[in-house]
Amino acid sequence: MLNFTVGPVQEYENVLKIGGNRTPYFRNASFSKIMLENEEMLKELAYAPADARAVFLTASGTGAMEAAVMNLFTRQDKVLVINGGGFGKRFSEICDVHHIPCQELAVPFEEALSEKMLSQYDGQDFTGLLINMNETSIGKLYNMDLVADFCRRNHLWLVVDAISAFLADPFDMQKWGIDVMITSSQKALAVPPGISMLLLSDRAVKRVNDMQAESFYFNLADALKNGERGQTPFTPAVSILLQIHERLQGLVRIGVEQENRRIAALAANFREGIKNLPFTIAVPSLSNAVTPLMTEGISAHWIFEELEEKYHIWVCPNGGELRDKLFRVGHIGDLTTEDNKYLIEALQEISA
């Protein structure tokens, strides 16, 4: 199968090889060294401040989203959630579960997040903002310069889900004043799912340590304390952390900008190749990670099924009201322009 989804993605052979080895013991100095290196490499690739800290959770990206919310905010906070799709809505649902007051800024499907939208919420006593940098459900990338300016002038904690944006799109934790960055192993990092990572600014670390999070497993203060010695509080997904180490080493060698450019070039090549096909790129302000395609006169879900069954290609379907209107093509992982060509030819046959 050729994998054009947005996660899990097409993995690299050197990463797959590690996953095929026996799982080693991890409560020892050699594993601690690997974990401390993982933290430093992740910080380097995200342009995190020198005093930032990383937490590695054996959980999905949603687990990391929930951990960020419950360790940074309380019922005395008031949080603004940018909701442009399914994952923005998920932040609101997490706030509701933990009884954290929140309000949604709804971004219409066909519009980009704008200064006009944000400025309506100036001076309204919010204490934090939650955003999915790339709303993966529809492939919309938000302007983080606008978001960062809004948070600075309103003195807000800024929590960014960069799960599908990290490594695919330029990301700068320090420039944007991000307090918590969230990402996961199975997106542009191109490792199997199972590990999610949080990068916390120094002030976020202090906040977490001062809080009494109402969770045993997702207590980030406990995770940070264990992380000082390169360990996790509980048994982690050891093999995946070793695969992450391999992948991070390669990314540090080539530099994050080169990886951004590679993924951007793959996305541009695909988008150029489908210009004459009966699909419409669905949203403004696209991420390099994914191309969302609206169909005309043909079911998007049928295309997804046809590609899987006849051409052995995976793309991302959508659910709900977008089930037959939208499918998404990912550009992250071990993909090439030759892979793009095969997919484009398949789409030409299907839509003929």
Side-chain angles (χ1 to χ4, degrees):
M1 294 294 292
L2 188 56
N3 190 347
F4 279 93
T5 69
V6 199
V9 301
Q10 196 96 339
E11 292 135 355
Y12 294 85
E13 288 299 323
N14 59 324
V15 171
L16 289 170
K17 184 178 178 181
I18 292 169
N21 294 334
R22 293 183 188 276
T23 306
Y25 185 63
F26 65 100
R27 297 295 193 200
N28 53 27
S30 59
F31 187 75
S32 291
K33 180 176 181 291
I34 285 169
M35 290 298 291
L36 292 170
E37 290 174 356
N38 280 348
E39 179 173 34
E40 290 306 310
M41 289 188 289
L42 185 64
K43 286 168 59 176
E44 179 178 341
L45 293 168
Y47 290 102
D51 54 7
R53 291 289 312 282
V55 169
F56 296 83
L57 291 177
T58 298
S60 69
T62 302
M65 290 167 70
E66 183 169 25
V69 170
M70 67 193 301
N71 281 269
L72 213 66
F73 302 108
T74 71
R75 300 181 188 194
Q76 282 67 55
D77 285 289
K78 180 182 175 186
V79 177
L80 182 64
V81 176
I82 308 301
N83 182 1
F87 291 100
K89 184 66 176 174
R90 190 166 297 180
F91 262 137
S92 293
E93 292 169 341
I94 291 169
C95 287
D96 289 344
V97 166
H98 294 282
H99 307 288
I100 295 166
C102 71
Q103 187 171 339
E104 291 185 354
L105 190 171
V107 182
F109 181 88
E110 68 282 359
E111 296 182 32
L113 179 66
S114 68
E115 172 61 24
K116 183 178 179 181
M117 293 177 190
L118 284 166
S119 63
Q120 299 175 67
Y121 296 90
D122 277 323
Q124 293 191 24
D125 300 321
F126 289 103
T127 56
L129 183 142
L130 306 176
I131 187 170
N132 318 89
M133 180 173 165
N134 172 31
E135 176 47 72
T136 317
S137 66
I138 57 171
K140 183 186 291 184
L141 184 72
Y142 294 123
N143 184 329
M144 288 303 301
D145 289 324
L146 290 180
V147 172
D149 287 345
F150 173 80
C151 289
R152 285 192 187 100
R153 68 178 182 257
N154 287 281
H155 310 290
L156 306 185
W157 295 93
L158 175 54
V159 176
V160 179
D161 157 13
I163 291 172
S164 62
F166 179 58
L167 301 176
D169 302 297
F171 184 91
D172 194 320
M173 184 174 176
Q174 191 160 357
K175 173 188 173 185
W176 292 327
I178 293 169
D179 292 294
V180 181
M181 179 269 252
I182 303 164
T183 193
S184 284
S185 56
Q186 77 276 14
K187 303 294 186 180
L189 199 53
V191 172
I195 293 289
S196 288
M197 294 144 277
L198 300 97
L199 274 177
L200 288 80
S201 69
D202 182 59
R203 78 168 191 148
V205 169
K206 291 183 173 70
R207 170 93 162 183
V208 164
N209 285 328
D210 288 341
M211 292 268 285
Q212 295 295 323
E214 295 181 359
S215 175
F216 186 74
Y217 188 82
F218 287 121
N219 187 315
L220 295 186
D222 191 18
L224 287 165
K225 183 177 180 180
N226 279 269
E228 291 174 3
R229 60 189 180 94
Q231 288 289 333
T232 57
F234 314 106
T235 303
V238 175
S239 293
I240 294 172
L241 286 164
L242 297 177
Q243 289 173 300
I244 287 172
H245 187 259
E246 172 74 12
R247 185 80 169 106
L248 288 175
Q249 285 181 312
L251 289 164
V252 166
R253 278 195 298 270
I254 66 171
V256 67
E257 293 89 354
Q258 183 171 325
E259 183 68 355
N260 288 164
R261 288 192 295 269
R262 185 190 71 83
I263 295 172
L266 275 174
N269 172 266
F270 175 78
R271 291 163 189 169
E272 180 66 27
I274 59 162
K275 276 188 173 180
N276 296 322
L277 296 181
F279 307 124
T280 303
I281 292 180
V283 297
S285 59
L286 290 170
S287 167
N288 294 324
V290 58
T291 300
L293 295 173
M294 296 288 287
T295 61
E296 299 174 19
I298 185 171
S299 164
H301 198 80
W302 179 82
I303 291 173
F304 156 71
E305 292 177 329
E306 192 76 353
L307 286 172
E308 181 178 36
E309 294 170 11
K310 185 174 179 181
Y311 298 92
H312 307 291
I313 296 172
W314 284 317
V315 296
C316 285
N318 274 58
E321 63 181 22
L322 293 176
R323 183 181 188 275
D324 292 310
K325 300 176 182 178
L326 179 72
F327 70 97
R328 293 163 291 148
V329 175
H331 310 296
I332 50 182
D334 187 16
L335 294 171
T336 66
T337 54
E338 283 300 307
D339 296 327
N340 277 353
K341 182 180 177 184
Y342 179 62
L343 173 57
I344 291 165
E345 289 172 352
L347 290 171
Q348 287 172 336
E349 291 181 14
I350 286 173
S351 58

